[in-house]
Amino acid sequence: MTPLIIVTLVVVWQFVLVGYTFTLAGNAADEAVRAGTAAHPGERQAVCEQAGKEKLSDAWQSGAQVSCSSSAGFVTADVTLQVPVLFPGAIAFPFEVHGHAGAVEEEDD
């Protein structure tokens, strides 16, 4: 009975990590697009990438990919994170989690 309980706890913990990675990806995309809307178009990618990775812990930050683009006054940010296996910072699953956010560009007065 004990091995079954341990296996169940490991599987539940892994699902918690997957869900947490989805949450982190969405939040990082929100932060990136928020910073990207206020940046000048030439600096947008660098500002966006820095803001998207800023609040991620080292375990998720190392494999994170952040990209921003704009079209017709609308800025979008896409964040891709790797899902860790059991312990953040160790090995990752071969699939990735994506976060996406968009906002309207801010105007200068």
Side-chain angles (χ1 to χ4, degrees):
M1 185 67 168
T2 303
L4 183 61
I5 293 171
I6 292 172
V7 169
T8 303
L9 289 174
V10 167
V11 170
V12 168
W13 174 246
Q14 188 58 55
F15 281 127
V16 167
L17 283 177
V18 171
Y20 186 58
T21 305
F22 271 104
T23 302
L24 287 176
N27 185 55
D30 288 341
E31 293 290 333
V33 80
R34 186 175 300 121
T37 58
H40 292 291
E43 303 169 350
R44 183 166 290 141
Q45 180 60 34
V47 170
C48 182
E49 187 170 349
Q50 179 185 5
K53 290 183 176 182
E54 186 175 0
K55 294 185 180 174
L56 293 174
S57 67
D58 291 340
W60 279 274
Q61 194 176 50
S62 61
Q65 299 171 357
V66 180
S67 64
C68 283
S69 62
S70 62
S71 173
F74 193 73
V75 179
T76 59
D78 293 299
V79 175
T80 303
L81 299 178
Q82 304 230 335
V83 178
V85 177
L86 295 181
F87 300 104
I91 59 174
F93 278 116
F95 67 88
E96 299 171 331
V97 170
H98 302 282
H100 178 78
V104 177
E105 253 180 41
E106 293 182 13
E107 292 182 5
D108 291 334
D109 288 335

